[in-house]
């Protein structure tokens, strides 16, 4: 059977996704340098480190050149002179120096190959630590290079753990060491890492607990006592009786780290006189001049380290008692840094640590605690304390007799404990309660002892309470908090107060809470960017009356005429916040032109708007003040609040855009006047906080200050619905099917949810039209002796499809996870599934049956599949139709969509009563899938497409809810007319076809009864050949069939035809029965809802639509049994999770039976715009990728049918065994060469053009003029040869380059019809999921590789072309990049100058692809320009076209003609135009570079491109209007 891969650690990293996209950062400057990013390639080449690398380990250039022997002194010298930083700086390494070393492969080629655990120096080990850290910072595969010498790597980890005993580390070295440990504990899927580091957080570490804590923990769980005794016996047997386990490295490692951290926190961050004095009074905590920034960074990193360990179960289980024993959180709370201005991030991290320390989970069994269990545990704890106090501490009698509610908060508890003397308090905490050791150095401090008591006995806010109290809209305090919502230039050096999405989660609540926080902050970042873009255009000022006035205007923001709170409802029982708060907002649209006015008029119910309070300073800020001012201060922004529209009214008070049915269609009138009044719902949690703040502190009334209303683009404004969905899920119980629960959280057996381990398997599967013939079936099950039988059980010697397969028991064993680290080397072309010695003898029984006659009319014939599925695809289909989790990895061009469609088709026929939900990331993918489903044998009435993209379906049928309802009503009339015709043919009254109900009675009384009588008569007259023809009761009705129904020559044949006719009639009446509901339900909404919840068997939507409408689906009682998700590696984790939960539980159980995820984790992940959420929080990790990392079995499709086999080799190394379908080797189009080119693919080295390589007119807006000119010149050359424009696409890795290429095309190509623009000019990220025959690819960068180091981006770039791929880049840069070597080594086997064949001047050639013909190597951009000019002159000499003939060298660079130049001479591609100019002209800039594809024009406007939304994950473009 099909191979199913369980990736294990080794497998995933060997075939490693560079985990998270790499953004490019300007490197830091040396002291005195003007700009960090001003370093040039020549400077890098002249750099001392580059020279040393070239001499000692770099393999660029002459690879055969012998390098000097390894020199430990060189490593020491590099470490001491290049990798150390001054003490006290808030950075741990000189970033630029580390980047240069890491890019030169210092680790792979020098440090690790020459590493010996016995002899390596301290500097050698630290250098390796720094290189690994840098790889993690860049988010590229860090452990891959260690796999060839696993024993040496274990030795390296051993040296790392013992490094602190070798010598005293400086504070920067300690931080680097800590970062390495963080990275190691974040890589638990790597066996070679986890084997070592998990020992540090094992049960053994409890040897270091204080005796009291140890007793307490064992007393809470009796099972641990037995486990402890067994462990002690094993240790004694292994090391001898005299061995003292508490001295072992694994036992003391984490405790020593924690104690070192507490010492630094207490004595190094702030000098003693800035801490707490003997009288427990805080002294000058805001004295900023003495803070040691390096120590602050260390403390932040250490708290991050503890959070990571406590937030995953394998490390949390035994570490949490240790953290509690040392009282880390109370000590952090009392530290001077916690209250210091510079300790804001530290404070947020400590609060997060406290949350995870008290997380609502049973650590030993990993079970989530319910609210009741948490509360009961709290009550039991306080009650037992009260009992102890009553018996043994007379002074606390009042506390002992008080009710729990009056003592489980900080103030009351502190007050009641204050009656004890310091000695009594110490005795209580250390001896009686044993919360900490009496030997703890802090144990004599009263404030510390009190803090420990408060932490232990205070009632914590539950997760549900926490999330329900949070406002869903961000406010100004969160928006500009850099520790929560970092700015775009996050470099990955520091840590943030954010949760991380890693492999495992503690509970479903933990999963939801982390995703809620991250999704909320990611949307906050996008809202912040929109505010910063819209507000400056308003040009706010203070007028003569001292009030705020606006001299400008903004498309997205309008001044408010009037704002008033209209209603505040009483709180619900048990809550303090109001049940609802509504307000009315009046504004005018008089100043807008028609286009913008129509956008404001399009506002509708549920749209989210933002209320801004802007109050600029009276005097403009000076340059010095402006430099220090925050963004809100610069904008004069005081407050930001969100709201949701309830209704919109025009100047006359008429309701606008009402979709609730209150206004009927024929009563609709266009809106009147220019004033608009909105009724909006405010966030009740935020309102309560604001009002409480005003009442308690006398703060300003926020709601009396709003003067601006801001809207956002509808597609980007979906965040509130998704956050509400997550919050609703938090308040539900048992939300994931039991069979998926543990797998989802990342625990237990990775293959537990695979179909082979599931109950209720389909023992017999009807594959319908999956197999084209018997040989096809045999090919797909080569390891079994296939035995064909007829329905009666006899052997079938001439089997023909369709086939019904009885699955043998051993088929299960062939689909188990293949352990990644035991995987034998496999042929890259093998289609043969895993072999099993005992399978060859087992019979694989296949029933070849004749399907019943479908009916006499052409429309009765089922549609047939024509795709010859590969054995692997058949394995995926088999897995997909069985219950459980199916994961299919689909490399480029391997037929993911065809496989998905066949799964749906076979599933529908095998389980006709079940309903399937289809989810995709994009509307395009959903439409592709849907169009193919319509070509299969699934009735159109069972298909439904929800969402906005339905109108783009290339079909005459309307599959939206309304379209399906209309189709059902039309079909009802057609069917009733058929019933009338049938009644006429039977000479009965025609009024039986009046309604569906009367038709149903007619069926029972007249049709079915006649059929039964006919069957009875047939049983007695089987020997009469013409009996069926003579006596068939509905012969007249079928007289209009295209061919005669009966021949009269054979009773059997006629009987089969008669049954086919009856089947046609039965289908007619069955459809009428389904139409009956639409007859009874009168309103359109009811009909549409019935269709969605009852009628449709296959419902399709995007993940965004699912998240937005979850509440509606639940209210309607939407149900489904199966979930199929396409593009699942491109969908955010939470947006994959929500579609699993669009239905209510049934008796406490989830109905979902199958979950089929199809995607490719080797291609680009979901888009996350803020780099910090990508790099630090791993928010761009999809559920699909996480499952692969966890080692969950998957099937990888292994035959591509897109590209020439030679082009496929550029990316098939990334996949296990990706081969080629036969037709890409045999078809003539793949065998013929590309006319005019010597090679079908090539890397073209582009040197500096006009002494310049890459440039960045604005940050992250990278351009390369030489590559742009070269690419466009080659495009013109191809067009002049006769290549069709719609077969050529130009791709690049940066937005800046895309706009530059479009600009060149606008001037060089667009004015000439015979050239014109190509099919598309776009970024690699935008082109994912698409393809074209010829791809011209510009890689742009010349200094640092940038985000192409993410191998996933490289795979997408290389796999878009079918016939020709030409890559334009700087060879010397990309060939030395370790991650990209498999592809670039392949590319560089050919000349790096473009090779042309001048003998071919037409688009067609008979030359074989492996023949080059006469080769002309193009030496430069200018030569390429002159080549196409000459070709033009030969072909079109009768025309005169001076501008296309002009060279770039004619005195002035043609690129300078239209692009403004900035002060430093760099072309400025971000012209500063007025808002109105941009509104009017923005859509004209690219009007000539439309995307022509098969006659469909897709307009890509520069207005969208030039603004803040980046097309590639790391390609951040910030352009001001």
């Amino acid at each position: 059977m099909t191979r199913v891969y369980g990736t294990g650690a080794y497998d995933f990293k060997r075939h490693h996704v560079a985990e998270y996209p790499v953004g490019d950062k300007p490197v830091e400057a040396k002291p005195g340098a003007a700009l960090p990013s001003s370093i040039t390639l020549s400077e890098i080449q002249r750099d001392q480190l580059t020279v040393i690398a070239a001499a000692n380990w770099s393999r660029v250039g002459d690879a055969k050149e012998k390098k000097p022997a390894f020199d430990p002194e060189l490593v020491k010298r590099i470490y001491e002179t290049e990798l150390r930083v001054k003490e006290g700086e808030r950075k741990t390494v000189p970033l630029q120096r580390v980047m240069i070393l890491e890019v030169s492969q210092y680790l792979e080629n020098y440090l690790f190959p020459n590493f010996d655990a016995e002899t390596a120096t301290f500097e050698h080990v630290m250098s390796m630590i720094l290189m690994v850290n840098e790889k993690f910072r860049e988010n590229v595969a860090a452990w891959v290079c260690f796999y060839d010498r696993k024993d040496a790597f274990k030795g390296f980890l051993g040296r790392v753990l013992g490094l602190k005993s070798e010598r005293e580390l400086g504070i920067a070295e300690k931080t680097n060491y800590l970062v390495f440990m963080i990275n190691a504990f974040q890589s638990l899927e790597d066996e070679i890492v986890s084997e070592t580091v998990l020992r540090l957080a094992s049960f053994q570490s409890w040897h270091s607990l204080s005796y009291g804590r140890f007793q307490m923990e064992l007393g809470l769980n009796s099972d641990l006592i037995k486990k402890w005794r067994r462990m002690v016996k094993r240790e004694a047997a292994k090391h001898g009786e005299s061995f003292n386990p508490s001295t072992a490295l694994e036992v003391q490692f984490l405790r020593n780290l924690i104690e070192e951290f507490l010492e630094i926190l207490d004595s190094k961050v702030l000098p003693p006189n800035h801490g707490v004095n003997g009288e427990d009074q805080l002294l000058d905590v805001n004295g900023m001049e003495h803070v040691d920034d390096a120590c602050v960074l260390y403390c932040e990193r250490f708290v991050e380290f503890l959070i990571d360990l406590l937030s995953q179960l394998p490390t949390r289980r035994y570490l949490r008692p240790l953290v509690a024993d040392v009282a880390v959180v109370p000590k952090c709370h009392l530290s001077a840094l916690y209250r210091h201005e510079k300790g804001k991030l530290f404070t947020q991290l400590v609060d997060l640590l406290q949350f995870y320390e008290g997380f609502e989970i049973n650590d030993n069994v990993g079970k989530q605690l319910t609210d009741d269990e948490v509360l009961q545990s709290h009550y039991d704890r306080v009650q037992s304390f009260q009992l102890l106090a009553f018996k043994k501490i007379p002074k606390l009698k009042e506390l002992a007799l008080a009710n729990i509610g009056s003592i489980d908060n900080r103030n009351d508890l502190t007050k009641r404990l204050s009656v004890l003397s310091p000695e009594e308090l110490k005795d209580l905490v250390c001896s009686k309660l044993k919360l900490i050791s009496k030997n703890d150095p802090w144990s004599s401090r009263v404030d510390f002892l009190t803090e420990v008591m408060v932490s232990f006995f205070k009632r914590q806010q539950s997760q549900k309470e926490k999330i329900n109290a949070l406002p869903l809209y961000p406010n100004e305090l969160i928006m500009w908090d850099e520790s929560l919502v970092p700015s775009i230039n996050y470099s990955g050096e520091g840590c943030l107060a954010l949760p991380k999405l890693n492999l495992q989660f503690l509970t479903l609540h933990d999963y939801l809470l982390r995703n809620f926080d991250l999704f909320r902050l990611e949307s906050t970042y996008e809202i912040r960017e929109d505010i910063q873009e819209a507000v400056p255009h308003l040009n706010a000022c203070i007028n003569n009356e001292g009030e705020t006035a606006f001299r400008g205007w903004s498309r997205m923001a309008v001044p408010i005429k009037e704002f008033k709170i209209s209603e505040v409802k009483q709180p619900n029982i048990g809550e303090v916040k109001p049940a609802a708060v509504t307000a009315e907002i009046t504004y005018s649209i008089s100043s807008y032109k028609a286009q913008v006015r129509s956008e404001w008029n399009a506002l509708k119910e549920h749209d989210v708007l933002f209320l801004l309070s802007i109050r600029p300073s009276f005097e403009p800020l000076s340059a010095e003040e402006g430099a220090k001012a925050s963004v809100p201060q610069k904008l004069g922004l005081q407050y930001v609040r969100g709201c949701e529209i309830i209704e919109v009214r025009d100047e006359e008070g008429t309701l606008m855009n009402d979709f609730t049915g209150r206004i009927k269609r024929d009563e609709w009138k266009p809106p009147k006047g220019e004033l608009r009044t909105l009724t909006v719902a405010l966030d009740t949690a935020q309102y309560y906080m604001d009002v409480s703040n005003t009442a308690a502190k006398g703060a300003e009334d926020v709601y009396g200050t709003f003067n601006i209303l801001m809207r956002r683009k509808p597609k980007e404004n979906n965040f509130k619905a998704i956050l509400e969905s997550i919050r609703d899920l938090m308040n539900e119980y048992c939300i994931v099917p039991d069979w998926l629960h543990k797998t989802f959280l990342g625990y237990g057996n990775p293959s537990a949810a695979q179909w082979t381990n599931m109950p209720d398997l389909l023992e017999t599967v009807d594959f319908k039209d999956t197999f084209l013939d018997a040989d096809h079936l045999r090919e797909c099950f080569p390891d079994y002796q296939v035995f064909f039988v007829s329905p009666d059980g006899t052997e079938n010697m001439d089997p023909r499809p369709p086939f019904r397969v009885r699955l043998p028991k051993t088929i299960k064993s062939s689909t188990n996870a293949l352990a990644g680290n035991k995987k034998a080397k496999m042929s890259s072309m093998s289609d043969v599934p895993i072999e099993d010695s005992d399978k060859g003898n087992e019979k694989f029984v296949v029933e070849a049956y004749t399907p019943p006659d479908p009916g006499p009319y052409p429309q009765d014939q089922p549609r047939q599949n024509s795709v010859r599925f590969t054995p692997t695809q058949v394995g995926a289909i088999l897995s997909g139709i069985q219950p459980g989790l199916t994961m299919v990895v689909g490399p480029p061009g391997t037929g993911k969509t065809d496989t998905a469609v066949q799964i749906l088709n076979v599933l529908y026929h095998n389980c006709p009563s079940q309903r399937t939900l289809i989810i995709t990331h994009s509307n395009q993918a959903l439409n592709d899938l849907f169009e193919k489903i319509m070509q299969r044998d699934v009735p159109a009435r069972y298909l439904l497409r929800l969402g906005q993209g339905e109108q783009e379906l290339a079909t005459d049928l309307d599959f939206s809810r309304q379209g399906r309802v209309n189709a059902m009503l039309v079909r009802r009339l057609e069917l009733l007319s058929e019933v009338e015709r049938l009644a006429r043919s039977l000479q009965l009254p025609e009024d039986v076809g009046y309604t569906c109900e009367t038709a149903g009675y007619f069926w029972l009384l007249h049709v079915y009864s006649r059929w039964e009588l006919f069957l009875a008569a047939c049983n007695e007259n089987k020997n009469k050949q013409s009996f069926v023809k003579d006596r068939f009761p509905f012969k007249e009705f079928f007289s209009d069939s295209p061919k005669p129904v009966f021949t009269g020559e054979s009773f059997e044949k006629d009987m089969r035809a008669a049954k086919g006719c009856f089947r046609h009639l039965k289908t007619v009446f069955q459809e009428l029965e389904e139409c009956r509901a639409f007859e009874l339900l009168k309103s359109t909404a009811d009909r549409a809802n019935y269709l969605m919840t009852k009628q449709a068997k296959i419902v399709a939507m995007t993940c965004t639509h699912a998240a937005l409408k979850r509440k509606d689906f639940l209210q309607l009682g939407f149900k489904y049994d199966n979930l199929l998700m396409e593009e699942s590696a491109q969908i955010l984790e939470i947006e994959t999770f929500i579609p699993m939960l669009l239905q209510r539980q049934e008796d406490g159980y989830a109905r979902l039976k199958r979950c089929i995820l199809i995607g490719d984790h080797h291609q680009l992940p979901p888009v996350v715009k803020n780099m910090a959420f990508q790099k630090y929080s791993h928010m761009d990790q999809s559920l699909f990728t996480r499952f692969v990392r966890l080692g969950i079995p998957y099937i990888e499709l292994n035959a591509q049918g897109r590209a020439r086999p030679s082009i496929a080799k550029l990316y098939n190394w990334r996949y296990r065994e990706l081969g080629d379908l036969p037709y890409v080797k045999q078809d003539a189009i793949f065998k013929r060469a590309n006319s005019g080119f010597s090679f079908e693919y090539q890397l073209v080295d582009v040197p500096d053009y006009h002494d310049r390589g890459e440039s960045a007119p604005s940050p992250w807006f990278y351009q390369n003029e030489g590559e742009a000119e070269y690419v466009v010149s080659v495009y013109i050359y191809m067009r002049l040869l006769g290549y069709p424009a719609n077969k050529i696409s130009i791709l690049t890795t940066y937005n800046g380059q895309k706009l530059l290429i479009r600009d060149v095309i606008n001037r060089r190509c667009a004015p000439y019809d015979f050239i014109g623009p190509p099919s598309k000019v776009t970024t690699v990220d935008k082109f994912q999921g698409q393809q074209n025959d010829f791809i011209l690819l510009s890689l742009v960068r010349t200094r640092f590789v940038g985000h192409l180091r993410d191998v996933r981006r490289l795979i997408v770039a290389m796999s878009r072309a079918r016939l020709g791929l030409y890559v334009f880049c700087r060879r010397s840069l990309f060939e030395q990049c370790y991650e990209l070597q498999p592809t670039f080594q392949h590319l560089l086997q050919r000349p790096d100058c473009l090779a042309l064949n001048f003998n071919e001047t037409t688009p067609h050639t008979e030359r074989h692809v492996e023949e080059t013909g006469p080769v002309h190597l193009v030496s430069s951009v200018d030569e390429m320009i002159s080549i196409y000019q000459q070709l033009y002159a030969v072909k079109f000499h009768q025309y005169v076209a001076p501008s296309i003939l002009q060279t770039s060298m004619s005195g002035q660079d043609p690129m300078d003609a239209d692009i403004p130049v900035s002060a430093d001479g760099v072309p400025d591609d971000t012209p500063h135009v007025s808002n109105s100019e941009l509104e009017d002209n923005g859509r004209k800039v690219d009007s000539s570079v439309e995307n022509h594809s098969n006659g469909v024009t897709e307009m890509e406007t520069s207005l969208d491109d030039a603004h803040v939304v980046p097309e590639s994950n790391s390609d951040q473009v910030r352009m001001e209007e």
Side-chain angles (χ1 to χ4, degrees), residues 443-587:
S443 61
S444 56
R445 285 178 50 175
V446 173
D447 59 341
F448 168 66
L449 296 171
T450 307
E451 185 66 31
V452 169
M453 290 291 289
V454 169
S455 296
F456 193 71
F457 291 111
K458 187 179 78 168
R459 181 169 181 252
Q460 304 292 341
Q461 189 182 29
S462 76
Q463 296 166 22
K464 281 185 185 176
E465 289 168 344
K466 181 185 174 188
I467 202 169
N468 289 334
L470 273 175
L472 291 178
Y473 307 107
N475 59 33
E476 69 287 346
L477 299 175
I478 293 173
M479 273 187 196
W480 282 276
D481 184 341
E482 281 290 318
S483 349
L484 292 174
V485 190
S487 55
I488 201 72
N489 55 358
Y490 174 75
S491 68
E493 289 179 277
C495 62
L496 300 165
L498 298 174
K500 295 178 184 176
L501 303 184
N502 202 22
L503 281 177
Q504 298 170 317
F505 298 90
L506 296 176
T507 64
L508 280 173
H509 276 192
D510 177 37
Y511 173 83
L512 289 167
L513 206 53
R514 292 195 217 184
N515 276 286
F516 180 88
D517 285 341
L518 286 175
F519 197 88
R520 181 166 168 261
L521 294 172
E522 164 74 357
S523 56
T524 299
Y525 166 74
E526 293 173 21
I527 294 161
R528 182 177 82 182
E529 295 293 298
D530 288 349
I531 290 174
Q532 288 176 189
E533 190 169 333
V535 170
H537 297 302
L538 293 166
N539 206 353
C541 62
I542 300 293
N543 62 17
N544 295 335
E545 287 79 38
E547 296 173 351
T548 305
F550 302 99
R551 292 179 295 192
W553 67 279
S554 172
R555 182 176 197 148
M556 308 304 283
V558 64
I560 292 172
K561 298 273 186 196
E562 185 184 2
F563 175 90
K564 63 179 180 186
I565 302 283
S566 55
E567 184 183 18
V568 180
K569 288 190 176 177
Q570 289 291 324
N572 295 327
I573 294 172
E575 293 185 349
V576 289
K577 64 184 183 185
V581 181
T582 53
E584 289 191 355
I585 307 166
T586 306
Y587 62 92

Side-chain angles (χ1 to χ4, degrees), residues 659-772:
F659 298 101
T660 60
R662 282 180 288 176
I663 292 183
K664 294 186 171 57
R665 284 191 174 184
D666 51 354
E667 295 174 7
W668 182 87
K669 294 175 185 174
K672 300 283 176 66
E674 293 169 340
L675 287 180
R676 299 287 176 264
T677 302
L678 304 177
T679 305
V680 298
L682 299 174
D683 190 296
T684 54
Q686 183 69 59
Y687 181 81
Y688 175 74
M689 287 159 61
D690 290 333
V691 171
S692 304
N693 202 30
T694 304
K697 300 178 184 175
E700 182 177 25
D701 176 17
V702 174
Y703 297 90
T705 65
F706 296 130
N707 51 13
I708 289 292
L709 181 68
M710 191 189 90
R711 64 185 175 91
R712 300 177 69 220
K713 291 178 184 173
K715 279 190 178 180
E716 297 166 15
N717 213 16
N718 301 326
F719 72 97
K720 180 175 180 280
I722 295 173
L723 290 176
E724 275 184 329
S725 293
I726 301 173
R727 190 166 69 180
D728 291 345
L729 287 168
M730 281 284 289
N731 289 292
E732 292 174 19
Y733 177 70
C734 180
I735 48 182
V736 172
D738 287 343
W739 55 267
L740 190 59
H741 189 273
K742 277 192 174 179
T743 303
F744 187 83
L745 292 176
Y747 303 112
N749 177 8
S751 57
Q754 195 190 359
W755 70 273
T756 52
N757 297 318
M758 295 288 289
D760 306 324
L761 295 182
L762 300 178
E763 298 292 342
T764 302
V765 176
D766 186 349
F767 276 97
K768 301 302 283 185
D769 56 359
T770 304
F771 302 107
L772 303 186

